C-alpha cells in the first residue's frame, strides 16, 4: 500500500509527464509549420516517451493499491523564435522535470517507501539521458548559427529517431 502523500505526489507527476507530452506535441506543430519534418519527428517520439512515462507511473500507483486522479493539463506555449529557442526551452524543461523526480525520491525516502524509491530510480537515470539529448541538439544548433546549411543535415538526422517503449529496454 502506498501513503496518501506519496499517492498525491505521484499523481502530480503523471500530470507533469502528460504536460510534457503536450508541450512536445506543440513543438512538433511548430516544426511542421517550418517544414522541418525531422525535428517534428523528434518531437513526436519525445511526446510518445512522455506518455509512456506518465503511464509507467499510472501503472505503478495502481499496482500499489493507490488511486489515479487526473487533473487539468495546462496549455503549452505554441510559438518560438527559432529551433534553437525550442531546444533551449527543452533543456530547461527537462532540468525542471529532473528536480521534480528528485523531490519524489526525497519524499519516498522520508516516507521509508523503498518500493517507490526503487521504482523512481528508472526515472532518475532517464533524466540524465533526457537532459543530455536536449543539450546535444542545443550545441549542434549553436554551431549551425554560423552555417545554416547544417540545419537540413540535422533535420535528416533527427528524422531517424524512433520510439522504443520503456518495457522493451530491459527496465
Ligand atoms: Fe518524462 Fe522528459 O521527462
Amino acid at each position: 500500500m502506498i501513503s496518501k502523500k506519496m499517492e498525491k505526489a505521484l499523481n502530480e507527476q503523471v500530470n507533469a509527464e502528460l504536460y510534457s507530452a503536450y508541450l512536445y506535441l506543440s513543438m512538433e506543430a511548430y516544426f511542421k509549420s517550418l517544414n522541418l519534418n525531422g525535428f517534428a519527428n523528434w518531437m513526436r517520439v519525445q511526446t510518445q516517451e512522455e506518455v509512456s512515462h506518465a503511464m509507467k507511473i499510472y501503472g505503478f500507483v495502481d499496482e500499489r493499491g493507490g488511486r489515479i486522479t487526473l487533473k487539468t493539463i495546462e496549455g503549452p506555449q505554441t510559438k518560438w523564435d527559432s529551433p534553437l529557442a525550442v531546444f533551449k526551452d527543452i533543456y530547461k524543461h527537462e532540468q525542471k522535470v529532473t528536480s521534480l523526480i528528485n523531490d519524489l525520491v526525497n519524499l519516498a525516502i522520508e516516507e521509508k517507501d523503498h518500493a517507490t524509491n526503487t521504482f523512481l530510480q528508472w526515472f532518475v537515470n532517464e533524466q540524465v539521458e533526457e537532459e543530455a539529448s536536449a543539450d546535444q541538439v542545443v550545441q549542434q544548433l549553436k554551431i549551425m548559427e554560423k552555417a545554416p546549411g547544417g540545419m537540413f543535415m540535422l533535420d535528416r538526422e533527427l528524422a531517424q529517431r524512433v520510439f522504443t517503449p520503456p518495457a522493451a529496454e530491459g527496465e
Side-chain angles (χ1 to χ4, degrees), residues 3-150:
S3 75
K4 282 290 157 204
K5 209 168 166 184
M6 200 73 243
E7 179 191 78
K8 183 170 182 283
L10 289 170
N11 266 297
E12 280 163 14
Q13 192 61 29
V14 169
N15 186 275
E17 300 291 347
L18 290 175
Y19 170 75
S20 297
Y22 217 26
L23 176 65
Y24 287 117
L25 200 57
S26 185
M27 289 169 170
E28 178 187 337
Y30 166 76
F31 282 115
K32 278 185 184 296
S33 76
L34 299 179
N35 289 316
L36 287 169
N37 294 326
F39 281 87
N41 172 68
W42 196 96
M43 296 302 154
R44 174 63 65 95
V45 172
Q46 193 63 30
T47 298
Q48 290 171 302
E49 282 206 356
E50 298 302 350
V51 171
S52 79
H53 295 169
M55 294 315 295
K56 212 173 160 75
I57 301 166
Y58 184 111
F60 179 76
V61 170
D62 181 51
E63 201 179 0
R64 299 285 311 281
R67 171 82 163 90
I68 284 285
T69 42
L70 299 175
K71 299 247 163 55
T72 306
I73 302 166
E74 194 189 322
Q77 188 175 333
T78 55
K79 285 183 195 146
W80 286 267
D81 288 339
S82 65
L84 179 58
V86 174
F87 275 89
K88 280 182 172 173
D89 276 3
I90 293 175
Y91 186 51
K92 263 194 281 177
H93 177 71
E94 289 301 338
Q95 286 179 312
K96 164 104 190 299
V97 175
T98 299
S99 80
L100 293 176
I101 298 292
N102 288 342
D103 289 348
L104 285 171
V105 172
N106 290 339
L107 180 62
I109 291 168
E110 247 175 69
E111 299 272 299
K112 299 188 171 57
D113 184 345
H114 300 288
T116 301
N117 186 9
T118 300
F119 166 75
L120 289 169
Q121 295 310 308
W122 184 90
F123 286 87
V124 170
N125 293 325
E126 176 71 3
Q127 282 311 119
V128 173
E129 245 182 78
E130 293 275 84
E131 285 187 31
S133 61
D135 188 45
Q136 190 190 355
V137 182
V138 167
Q139 300 314 322
Q140 285 170 310
L141 285 168
K142 279 186 178 167
I143 293 165
M144 272 160 216
E145 279 183 319
K146 292 169 196 109

